[in-house]
Amino acid sequence: MNTLNHLAIIMDGNGRWAKNRTLIRTDGHKKGADTVENIAIYCAKNGIKNLTLYAFSTENWKRPKSEVDFLLNLLLKFIKLKENLFLENSIRFHTIGDLSPFSTQLKNAIANLKDKTKDNSRLNLILAINYGSQNEIVRAVNSALANGVKIDEKSISSHLDSADFGDVDLMIRTGGEHRLSNFLLWQSSYAELAFTPTLWPDFDTKELDEIIAKFKITHRKFGAI
Ligand code: FPP
C-alpha cells in the first residue's frame, strides 16, 4: 500500500458551478471555500501529513479586478475567521508563492495564523497563493546561487518554497481539465495524477476517499520496474 504523505489539489470549476445555478462566479468561490474546509478536516483525520491547495496563481491576476479583489478578500476572511478550524484539528498553516504583492493587512493575517498554528502537528495545510511553479523554481535557483550552493536536483529541491513538505504523491484536479497549470511541476515528477469532472464546490470526502483508495493500490515504479 502506498503512503500518502503529500496531496496536492488544483481546485477548478467554481465559476462553472455558479453559472450552472445562474449565480455569479464569486458565489462559486464562496462555496469553494466550504469545500476547502471539509477536505482539510478529512486530511487531518486520515493521517495525510501535507495538503497543498492551489488558491491563487501568478496568472490569476489576469482576471477582472472585481474577481481578484473578491478572491483575495475571501482568502483574508478565511485566514482571519477560520482559526478554530486550524486549532480544533491541529492543522498548521503555511503558504507557498510570492507574498510580496499582497496588502499589509493580508500579509499580517497570514503571518499571524502561521504563528498561532506553529505547534499544530497533524496536518500542514499549505495554500499556494500568488504561486507559479516556474517562478518558484527560478527563485529557488537564484537563492541557491546567492547562498553559494552548487546547483543540482537536491539543492534546487531544498530551496523551493515547499522544501519542507516533500514531493507530491497524489495530484488531483477537479473541474474536468487535464493540465497542471504551472502547479508544483518540480515536486510532481513522480506524482500519481487524478482528474475528475466534478466541479470543486461539489467535490466531497466520499470522492476523495475513492481517489485515495485507488492511489493506495497503484504500483508506483519511480522509473524502476
Ligand atoms: C478555479 O475555479 C478556482 C480558483 C482560481 C480559486 C480557488 C479558490 C477557492 C477554492 C476559494 C477560496 C479558497 C480558500 C483557500 C479560502 P475557476 O474560477 O477557474 O472556475 P471555472 O474554470 O469554472 O471558471
Side-chain angles (χ1 to χ4, degrees):
M1 292 274 263
N2 298 315
T3 306
L4 180 49
N5 172 63
H6 191 168
L7 170 65
I9 308 183
I10 301 176
M11 311 181 286
D12 196 12
N14 294 346
R16 278 165 285 160
W17 181 91
K19 195 167 172 233
N20 292 345
R21 287 165 177 73
T22 59
L23 299 169
I24 50 170
R25 291 179 54 80
T26 47
D27 288 331
H29 296 315
K30 216 188 294 171
K31 187 74 169 48
D34 296 340
T35 307
V36 167
E37 201 168 333
N38 294 337
I39 298 302
I41 293 171
Y42 171 97
C43 290
K45 293 207 163 128
N46 284 276
I48 296 162
K49 277 277 148 234
N50 303 290
L51 169 66
T52 305
L53 299 176
Y54 208 3
F56 192 87
S57 76
T58 46
E59 285 72 36
N60 285 151
W61 296 103
K62 294 180 204 154
R63 294 186 178 212
K65 185 175 181 306
S66 56
E67 184 167 336
V68 169
D69 288 348
F70 184 92
L71 277 170
L72 297 183
N73 196 41
L74 186 63
L75 194 60
L76 178 67
K77 278 205 262 183
F78 182 83
I79 289 168
K80 284 181 94 145
L81 302 177
K82 295 290 174 185
E83 216 173 279
N84 277 351
L85 163 72
F86 289 84
L87 300 180
E88 283 165 12
N89 296 283
S90 189
I91 300 174
R92 185 170 176 183
F93 178 63
H94 305 263
T95 60
I96 55 172
D98 175 10
L99 302 183
S100 63
F102 293 133
S103 67
T104 309
Q105 191 188 21
L106 182 53
K107 281 192 270 201
N108 286 346
I110 289 169
N112 182 47
L113 188 59
K114 283 180 179 172
D115 186 56
K116 280 211 171 126
T117 62
K118 66 179 186 310
D119 296 324
N120 293 350
S121 56
R122 229 187 229 183
L123 170 72
N124 290 311
L125 174 58
I126 305 128
L127 288 189
I129 45 179
N130 191 29
Y131 177 86
S133 191
Q134 293 179 343
N135 170 272
E136 182 194 29
I137 294 167
V138 170
R139 286 188 288 107
V141 171
N142 280 324
S143 100
L145 287 173
N147 291 340
V149 177
K150 181 174 168 279
I151 300 299
D152 56 20
E153 288 90 336
K154 220 168 144 210
S155 69
I156 292 180
S157 291
S158 70
H159 285 80
L160 293 169
D161 298 347
S162 65
D164 293 341
F165 314 117
D167 283 346
V168 173
D169 298 297
L170 173 63
M171 161 88 74
I172 299 173
R173 181 174 188 138
T174 65
E177 310 288 355
H178 294 73
R179 54 176 172 257
L180 297 182
S181 299
N182 203 13
F183 188 45
L184 299 171
L185 302 179
W186 180 279
Q187 302 87 333
S188 295
S189 300
Y190 280 99
E192 298 298 321
L193 306 178
F195 299 98
T196 167
T198 305
L199 305 175
W200 176 250
D202 287 330
F203 190 70
D204 60 15
T205 55
K206 183 173 171 286
E207 186 169 5
L208 177 56
D209 215 37
E210 286 162 6
I211 293 172
I212 292 175
K214 198 168 161 217
F215 162 83
K216 290 221 162 148
I217 56 166
T218 299
H219 183 205
R220 301 184 77 192
K221 295 192 288 190
F222 298 97
I225 51 172

